[in-house]
Amino acid sequence: ERRVTKREFVPYRLMVNNESFMAYRDVRVHFSTDFSEVLSAGDIGCIGLEPGEGLDIHKELFCKYAGTYFVGVDTIEIMDYFKIFRIRFMMPQKMKVTVKPRVLNPENINFLTEEESHNSSIRGKSEYQLDNEVHKYYPGDNKRHIHWKNSAKRQELMVRNRTAEEITEYVVIMDGSMGKLDFTEKIICCDKMREVVLTLVHYIYCSGYYAMTVLDRNYEREICSERDFNELYDRMIDYGFGQEKNLKERLYSLNNTYEENVPFILVTSGHSLLESCVMEEIRECRSVSVINVDLHDSAEEIFHMEK
């Protein structure tokens, strides 16, 4: 078992050996193709192997989705020298990989909410704040207001100036229940959920805001530094989707916890969307944006990015 990153090319080595006393005229290797590809696998063709003979093949593996699944060789089909019989063998030990999600870098995040006709966007999109919008960090300043991109650029901690009416934080809530999906549908849906949540949170805190992230009742963390984000990223790699979660009660609890000027961003799938009355009730006192990943083919499409 190994870990790779989605859509990155990684070395893949295949060794085919004939350890029997018979010669095989035609050996065909069939690869798993649902979630991954072995590049140039088609040029392997038919392999002829004499007794004791082997072949060492070096290719590259390309994984399409984040998650944990089997890749590489699925079955091997052999035919004897006289073309009398053909047998297909399932691989007794398939290669399992854990594919890590990507964090996208959109220029701007501007998405349409599920029930509203107006656009909801995160304010303060400039990569660096102007000199009169930030000041050097002094003991007593709120560390949640540190602007990390400015700090990295100037090699010292810089804090964003705030006004009383300005939004200072966002709450990103992930609905991880998958409904009745088969394995393939679940892999694709979870892949989009991971990338959307990680991209949102990363974008929010890099823009100088405080990002509270809620995955389930056991995980509610503030993300305001690279270290916080890396901990969230590691958790998302192996996160167990599809568990029963009482999202309705959790949303009510969060609604009573945070001030009314704090916007909510709910990332969910069409298999578990809440009744509109629940969302409308919460929207009466705050801004709530819903991202339904099932309405889009990829996270790039949600953030209006080209693949």
Side-chain angles (χ1 to χ4, degrees), residues 148-171:
W148 295 102
K149 285 190 175 181
N150 277 88
S151 300
K153 179 183 178 182
R154 306 185 189 194
Q155 298 299 306
E156 60 180 338
L157 290 180
M158 303 298 296
V159 179
R160 180 182 170 119
N161 297 327
R162 302 287 180 174
T163 59
E165 68 278 3
E166 187 177 12
I167 295 175
T168 61
E169 60 186 331
Y170 290 81
V171 179

PDB file of all heavy atoms in Angstrom, residues 148-171:
ATOM      1  N   TRP A 148      -1.390  35.744   6.201  1.00  0.00           N
ATOM      2  CA  TRP A 148      -0.225  34.874   6.027  1.00  0.00           C
ATOM      3  C   TRP A 148       0.550  35.160   4.749  1.00  0.00           C
ATOM      4  O   TRP A 148       1.779  35.044   4.715  1.00  0.00           O
ATOM      5  CB  TRP A 148      -0.669  33.416   6.095  1.00  0.00           C
ATOM      6  CG  TRP A 148      -1.199  33.081   7.450  1.00  0.00           C
ATOM      7  CD1 TRP A 148      -2.502  32.971   7.818  1.00  0.00           C
ATOM      8  CD2 TRP A 148      -0.434  32.877   8.650  1.00  0.00           C
ATOM      9  NE1 TRP A 148      -2.616  32.701   9.160  1.00  0.00           N
ATOM     10  CE2 TRP A 148      -1.357  32.635   9.698  1.00  0.00           C
ATOM     11  CE3 TRP A 148       0.930  32.861   8.933  1.00  0.00           C
ATOM     12  CZ2 TRP A 148      -0.957  32.386  10.996  1.00  0.00           C
ATOM     13  CZ3 TRP A 148       1.338  32.613  10.231  1.00  0.00           C
ATOM     14  CH2 TRP A 148       0.403  32.386  11.249  1.00  0.00           C
ATOM     15  N   LYS A 149      -0.137  35.538   3.674  1.00  0.00           N
ATOM     16  CA  LYS A 149       0.591  35.826   2.439  1.00  0.00           C
ATOM     17  C   LYS A 149       1.428  37.091   2.580  1.00  0.00           C
ATOM     18  O   LYS A 149       2.568  37.157   2.128  1.00  0.00           O
ATOM     19  CB  LYS A 149      -0.387  35.944   1.266  1.00  0.00           C
ATOM     20  CG  LYS A 149      -0.920  34.597   0.796  1.00  0.00           C
ATOM     21  CD  LYS A 149      -1.675  34.729  -0.511  1.00  0.00           C
ATOM     22  CE  LYS A 149      -2.095  33.355  -1.017  1.00  0.00           C
ATOM     23  NZ  LYS A 149      -2.824  33.440  -2.309  1.00  0.00           N
ATOM     24  N   ASN A 150       0.865  38.125   3.200  1.00  0.00           N
ATOM     25  CA  ASN A 150       1.648  39.323   3.467  1.00  0.00           C
ATOM     26  C   ASN A 150       2.831  39.021   4.383  1.00  0.00           C
ATOM     27  O   ASN A 150       3.937  39.528   4.189  1.00  0.00           O
ATOM     28  CB  ASN A 150       0.775  40.403   4.108  1.00  0.00           C
ATOM     29  CG  ASN A 150       0.002  41.197   3.090  1.00  0.00           C
ATOM     30  OD1 ASN A 150      -1.091  40.815   2.725  1.00  0.00           O
ATOM     31  ND2 ASN A 150       0.574  42.286   2.606  1.00  0.00           N
ATOM     32  N   SER A 151       2.585  38.206   5.393  1.00  0.00           N
ATOM     33  CA  SER A 151       3.645  37.864   6.347  1.00  0.00           C
ATOM     34  C   SER A 151       4.783  37.136   5.651  1.00  0.00           C
ATOM     35  O   SER A 151       5.971  37.404   5.905  1.00  0.00           O
ATOM     36  CB  SER A 151       3.065  36.999   7.479  1.00  0.00           C
ATOM     37  OG  SER A 151       2.042  37.689   8.173  1.00  0.00           O
ATOM     38  N   ALA A 152       4.445  36.191   4.761  1.00  0.00           N
ATOM     39  CA  ALA A 152       5.485  35.450   4.045  1.00  0.00           C
ATOM     40  C   ALA A 152       6.276  36.361   3.123  1.00  0.00           C
ATOM     41  O   ALA A 152       7.496  36.240   2.996  1.00  0.00           O
ATOM     42  CB  ALA A 152       4.853  34.305   3.257  1.00  0.00           C
ATOM     43  N   LYS A 153       5.580  37.293   2.485  1.00  0.00           N
ATOM     44  CA  LYS A 153       6.243  38.205   1.563  1.00  0.00           C
ATOM     45  C   LYS A 153       7.200  39.147   2.291  1.00  0.00           C
ATOM     46  O   LYS A 153       8.307  39.410   1.829  1.00  0.00           O
ATOM     47  CB  LYS A 153       5.191  39.013   0.807  1.00  0.00           C
ATOM     48  CG  LYS A 153       5.779  40.021  -0.176  1.00  0.00           C
ATOM     49  CD  LYS A 153       4.667  40.823  -0.837  1.00  0.00           C
ATOM     50  CE  LYS A 153       5.260  41.864  -1.792  1.00  0.00           C
ATOM     51  NZ  LYS A 153       4.196  42.686  -2.423  1.00  0.00           N
ATOM     52  N   ARG A 154       6.794  39.636   3.466  1.00  0.00           N
ATOM     53  CA  ARG A 154       7.595  40.640   4.181  1.00  0.00           C
ATOM     54  C   ARG A 154       8.495  40.042   5.248  1.00  0.00           C
ATOM     55  O   ARG A 154       9.220  40.758   5.928  1.00  0.00           O
ATOM     56  CB  ARG A 154       6.650  41.671   4.815  1.00  0.00           C
ATOM     57  CG  ARG A 154       5.701  42.291   3.781  1.00  0.00           C
ATOM     58  CD  ARG A 154       4.852  43.386   4.378  1.00  0.00           C
ATOM     59  NE  ARG A 154       3.823  43.816   3.442  1.00  0.00           N
ATOM     60  CZ  ARG A 154       3.113  44.920   3.566  1.00  0.00           C
ATOM     61  NH1 ARG A 154       3.328  45.717   4.594  1.00  0.00           N
ATOM     62  NH2 ARG A 154       2.195  45.234   2.670  1.00  0.00           N
ATOM     63  N   GLN A 155       8.402  38.705   5.415  1.00  0.00           N
ATOM     64  CA  GLN A 155       9.247  38.009   6.380  1.00  0.00           C
ATOM     65  C   GLN A 155       9.030  38.485   7.807  1.00  0.00           C
ATOM     66  O   GLN A 155       9.957  38.507   8.625  1.00  0.00           O
ATOM     67  CB  GLN A 155      10.730  38.153   5.990  1.00  0.00           C
ATOM     68  CG  GLN A 155      11.081  37.554   4.646  1.00  0.00           C
ATOM     69  CD  GLN A 155      10.812  36.055   4.595  1.00  0.00           C
ATOM     70  OE1 GLN A 155      11.301  35.323   5.442  1.00  0.00           O
ATOM     71  NE2 GLN A 155      10.042  35.617   3.608  1.00  0.00           N
ATOM     72  N   GLU A 156       7.818  38.920   8.117  1.00  0.00           N
ATOM     73  CA  GLU A 156       7.429  39.269   9.474  1.00  0.00           C
ATOM     74  C   GLU A 156       5.910  39.182   9.568  1.00  0.00           C
ATOM     75  O   GLU A 156       5.204  39.288   8.562  1.00  0.00           O
ATOM     76  CB  GLU A 156       7.919  40.671   9.851  1.00  0.00           C
ATOM     77  CG  GLU A 156       7.389  41.774   8.959  1.00  0.00           C
ATOM     78  CD  GLU A 156       7.908  43.129   9.375  1.00  0.00           C
ATOM     79  OE1 GLU A 156       8.318  43.277  10.551  1.00  0.00           O
ATOM     80  OE2 GLU A 156       7.912  44.059   8.539  1.00  0.00           O
ATOM     81  N   LEU A 157       5.413  38.965  10.761  1.00  0.00           N
ATOM     82  CA  LEU A 157       3.975  38.796  10.930  1.00  0.00           C
ATOM     83  C   LEU A 157       3.238  40.108  10.679  1.00  0.00           C
ATOM     84  O   LEU A 157       3.571  41.144  11.258  1.00  0.00           O
ATOM     85  CB  LEU A 157       3.668  38.285  12.343  1.00  0.00           C
ATOM     86  CG  LEU A 157       4.087  36.841  12.649  1.00  0.00           C
ATOM     87  CD1 LEU A 157       3.727  36.481  14.080  1.00  0.00           C
ATOM     88  CD2 LEU A 157       3.415  35.865  11.683  1.00  0.00           C
ATOM     89  N   MET A 158       2.247  40.046   9.790  1.00  0.00           N
ATOM     90  CA  MET A 158       1.428  41.202   9.470  1.00  0.00           C
ATOM     91  C   MET A 158      -0.020  40.872   9.808  1.00  0.00           C
ATOM     92  O   MET A 158      -0.512  39.778   9.523  1.00  0.00           O
ATOM     93  CB  MET A 158       1.545  41.564   7.981  1.00  0.00           C
ATOM     94  CG  MET A 158       2.967  41.827   7.517  1.00  0.00           C
ATOM     95  SD  MET A 158       3.739  43.241   8.363  1.00  0.00           S
ATOM     96  CE  MET A 158       2.694  44.581   7.802  1.00  0.00           C
ATOM     97  N   VAL A 159      -0.713  41.831  10.434  1.00  0.00           N
ATOM     98  CA  VAL A 159      -2.091  41.637  10.875  1.00  0.00           C
ATOM     99  C   VAL A 159      -2.994  42.561  10.074  1.00  0.00           C
ATOM    100  O   VAL A 159      -2.682  43.746   9.880  1.00  0.00           O
ATOM    101  CB  VAL A 159      -2.241  41.927  12.385  1.00  0.00           C
ATOM    102  CG1 VAL A 159      -3.685  41.735  12.828  1.00  0.00           C
ATOM    103  CG2 VAL A 159      -1.322  41.017  13.183  1.00  0.00           C
ATOM    104  N   ARG A 160      -4.105  42.004   9.608  1.00  0.00           N
ATOM    105  CA  ARG A 160      -5.054  42.792   8.827  1.00  0.00           C
ATOM    106  C   ARG A 160      -5.849  43.720   9.733  1.00  0.00           C
ATOM    107  O   ARG A 160      -6.337  43.316  10.786  1.00  0.00           O
ATOM    108  CB  ARG A 160      -6.002  41.842   8.085  1.00  0.00           C
ATOM    109  CG  ARG A 160      -7.039  42.556   7.229  1.00  0.00           C
ATOM    110  CD  ARG A 160      -7.954  41.537   6.571  1.00  0.00           C
ATOM    111  NE  ARG A 160      -9.076  42.225   5.954  1.00  0.00           N
ATOM    112  CZ  ARG A 160      -9.354  42.186   4.664  1.00  0.00           C
ATOM    113  NH1 ARG A 160      -8.613  41.479   3.860  1.00  0.00           N
ATOM    114  NH2 ARG A 160     -10.398  42.840   4.177  1.00  0.00           N
ATOM    115  N   ASN A 161      -5.997  44.987   9.326  1.00  0.00           N
ATOM    116  CA  ASN A 161      -6.841  45.935  10.046  1.00  0.00           C
ATOM    117  C   ASN A 161      -8.304  45.570   9.835  1.00  0.00           C
ATOM    118  O   ASN A 161      -8.709  45.235   8.718  1.00  0.00           O
ATOM    119  CB  ASN A 161      -6.595  47.362   9.551  1.00  0.00           C
ATOM    120  CG  ASN A 161      -5.177  47.808   9.815  1.00  0.00           C
ATOM    121  OD1 ASN A 161      -4.570  47.417  10.805  1.00  0.00           O
ATOM    122  ND2 ASN A 161      -4.628  48.630   8.920  1.00  0.00           N
ATOM    123  N   ARG A 162      -9.082  45.631  10.860  1.00  0.00           N
ATOM    124  CA  ARG A 162     -10.484  45.250  10.789  1.00  0.00           C
ATOM    125  C   ARG A 162     -11.399  46.430  11.104  1.00  0.00           C
ATOM    126  O   ARG A 162     -11.049  47.315  11.876  1.00  0.00           O
ATOM    127  CB  ARG A 162     -10.789  44.122  11.791  1.00  0.00           C
ATOM    128  CG  ARG A 162      -9.954  42.877  11.583  1.00  0.00           C
ATOM    129  CD  ARG A 162     -10.404  42.115  10.360  1.00  0.00           C
ATOM    130  NE  ARG A 162      -9.588  40.929  10.175  1.00  0.00           N
ATOM    131  CZ  ARG A 162      -9.819  40.014   9.263  1.00  0.00           C
ATOM    132  NH1 ARG A 162     -10.825  40.148   8.435  1.00  0.00           N
ATOM    133  NH2 ARG A 162      -9.038  38.957   9.150  1.00  0.00           N
ATOM    134  N   THR A 163     -12.568  46.412  10.488  1.00  0.00           N
ATOM    135  CA  THR A 163     -13.616  47.352  10.861  1.00  0.00           C
ATOM    136  C   THR A 163     -14.715  46.570  11.573  1.00  0.00           C
ATOM    137  O   THR A 163     -14.834  45.358  11.398  1.00  0.00           O
ATOM    138  CB  THR A 163     -14.200  48.049   9.622  1.00  0.00           C
ATOM    139  OG1 THR A 163     -14.739  47.055   8.743  1.00  0.00           O
ATOM    140  CG2 THR A 163     -13.134  48.838   8.880  1.00  0.00           C
ATOM    141  N   ALA A 164     -15.519  47.250  12.323  1.00  0.00           N
ATOM    142  CA  ALA A 164     -16.495  46.567  13.174  1.00  0.00           C
ATOM    143  C   ALA A 164     -17.494  45.749  12.362  1.00  0.00           C
ATOM    144  O   ALA A 164     -17.926  44.691  12.774  1.00  0.00           O
ATOM    145  CB  ALA A 164     -17.240  47.595  14.040  1.00  0.00           C
ATOM    146  N   GLU A 165     -17.874  46.275  11.149  1.00  0.00           N
ATOM    147  CA  GLU A 165     -18.918  45.601  10.397  1.00  0.00           C
ATOM    148  C   GLU A 165     -18.353  44.561   9.423  1.00  0.00           C
ATOM    149  O   GLU A 165     -19.108  43.891   8.728  1.00  0.00           O
ATOM    150  CB  GLU A 165     -19.747  46.633   9.610  1.00  0.00           C
ATOM    151  CG  GLU A 165     -19.004  47.323   8.470  1.00  0.00           C
ATOM    152  CD  GLU A 165     -18.148  48.482   8.970  1.00  0.00           C
ATOM    153  OE1 GLU A 165     -18.109  48.685  10.193  1.00  0.00           O
ATOM    154  OE2 GLU A 165     -17.529  49.172   8.133  1.00  0.00           O
ATOM    155  N   GLU A 166     -17.065  44.425   9.354  1.00  0.00           N
ATOM    156  CA  GLU A 166     -16.470  43.535   8.357  1.00  0.00           C
ATOM    157  C   GLU A 166     -16.564  42.071   8.783  1.00  0.00           C
ATOM    158  O   GLU A 166     -16.435  41.735   9.949  1.00  0.00           O
ATOM    159  CB  GLU A 166     -14.991  43.907   8.156  1.00  0.00           C
ATOM    160  CG  GLU A 166     -14.340  43.159   7.013  1.00  0.00           C
ATOM    161  CD  GLU A 166     -12.903  43.611   6.822  1.00  0.00           C
ATOM    162  OE1 GLU A 166     -12.384  44.321   7.702  1.00  0.00           O
ATOM    163  OE2 GLU A 166     -12.306  43.229   5.807  1.00  0.00           O
ATOM    164  N   ILE A 167     -16.785  41.194   7.770  1.00  0.00           N
ATOM    165  CA  ILE A 167     -16.778  39.766   8.031  1.00  0.00           C
ATOM    166  C   ILE A 167     -15.351  39.327   8.349  1.00  0.00           C
ATOM    167  O   ILE A 167     -14.417  39.654   7.627  1.00  0.00           O
ATOM    168  CB  ILE A 167     -17.294  38.994   6.804  1.00  0.00           C
ATOM    169  CG1 ILE A 167     -18.765  39.318   6.549  1.00  0.00           C
ATOM    170  CG2 ILE A 167     -17.110  37.492   6.976  1.00  0.00           C
ATOM    171  CD1 ILE A 167     -19.318  38.688   5.282  1.00  0.00           C
ATOM    172  N   THR A 168     -15.183  38.603   9.436  1.00  0.00           N
ATOM    173  CA  THR A 168     -13.843  38.167   9.829  1.00  0.00           C
ATOM    174  C   THR A 168     -13.661  36.662   9.742  1.00  0.00           C
ATOM    175  O   THR A 168     -12.545  36.180   9.822  1.00  0.00           O
ATOM    176  CB  THR A 168     -13.533  38.613  11.275  1.00  0.00           C
ATOM    177  OG1 THR A 168     -14.479  38.001  12.159  1.00  0.00           O
ATOM    178  CG2 THR A 168     -13.598  40.120  11.395  1.00  0.00           C
ATOM    179  N   GLU A 169     -14.750  35.919   9.618  1.00  0.00           N
ATOM    180  CA  GLU A 169     -14.629  34.471   9.589  1.00  0.00           C
ATOM    181  C   GLU A 169     -15.753  33.843   8.774  1.00  0.00           C
ATOM    182  O   GLU A 169     -16.798  34.441   8.547  1.00  0.00           O
ATOM    183  CB  GLU A 169     -14.626  33.896  11.005  1.00  0.00           C
ATOM    184  CG  GLU A 169     -15.870  34.205  11.799  1.00  0.00           C
ATOM    185  CD  GLU A 169     -15.752  33.727  13.242  1.00  0.00           C
ATOM    186  OE1 GLU A 169     -15.037  32.746  13.483  1.00  0.00           O
ATOM    187  OE2 GLU A 169     -16.389  34.339  14.110  1.00  0.00           O
ATOM    188  N   TYR A 170     -15.480  32.622   8.338  1.00  0.00           N
ATOM    189  CA  TYR A 170     -16.451  31.814   7.606  1.00  0.00           C
ATOM    190  C   TYR A 170     -16.477  30.436   8.244  1.00  0.00           C
ATOM    191  O   TYR A 170     -15.463  29.942   8.718  1.00  0.00           O
ATOM    192  CB  TYR A 170     -16.066  31.682   6.134  1.00  0.00           C
ATOM    193  CG  TYR A 170     -16.220  32.967   5.345  1.00  0.00           C
ATOM    194  CD1 TYR A 170     -15.232  33.952   5.399  1.00  0.00           C
ATOM    195  CD2 TYR A 170     -17.334  33.195   4.549  1.00  0.00           C
ATOM    196  CE1 TYR A 170     -15.359  35.132   4.681  1.00  0.00           C
ATOM    197  CE2 TYR A 170     -17.472  34.371   3.829  1.00  0.00           C
ATOM    198  CZ  TYR A 170     -16.478  35.334   3.902  1.00  0.00           C
ATOM    199  OH  TYR A 170     -16.620  36.501   3.193  1.00  0.00           O
ATOM    200  N   VAL A 171     -17.636  29.813   8.224  1.00  0.00           N
ATOM    201  CA  VAL A 171     -17.767  28.448   8.730  1.00  0.00           C
ATOM    202  C   VAL A 171     -18.032  27.525   7.537  1.00  0.00           C
ATOM    203  O   VAL A 171     -19.052  27.662   6.854  1.00  0.00           O
ATOM    204  CB  VAL A 171     -18.909  28.331   9.757  1.00  0.00           C
ATOM    205  CG1 VAL A 171     -19.036  26.879  10.243  1.00  0.00           C
ATOM    206  CG2 VAL A 171     -18.661  29.259  10.944  1.00  0.00           C
TER     207      VAL A 171
END
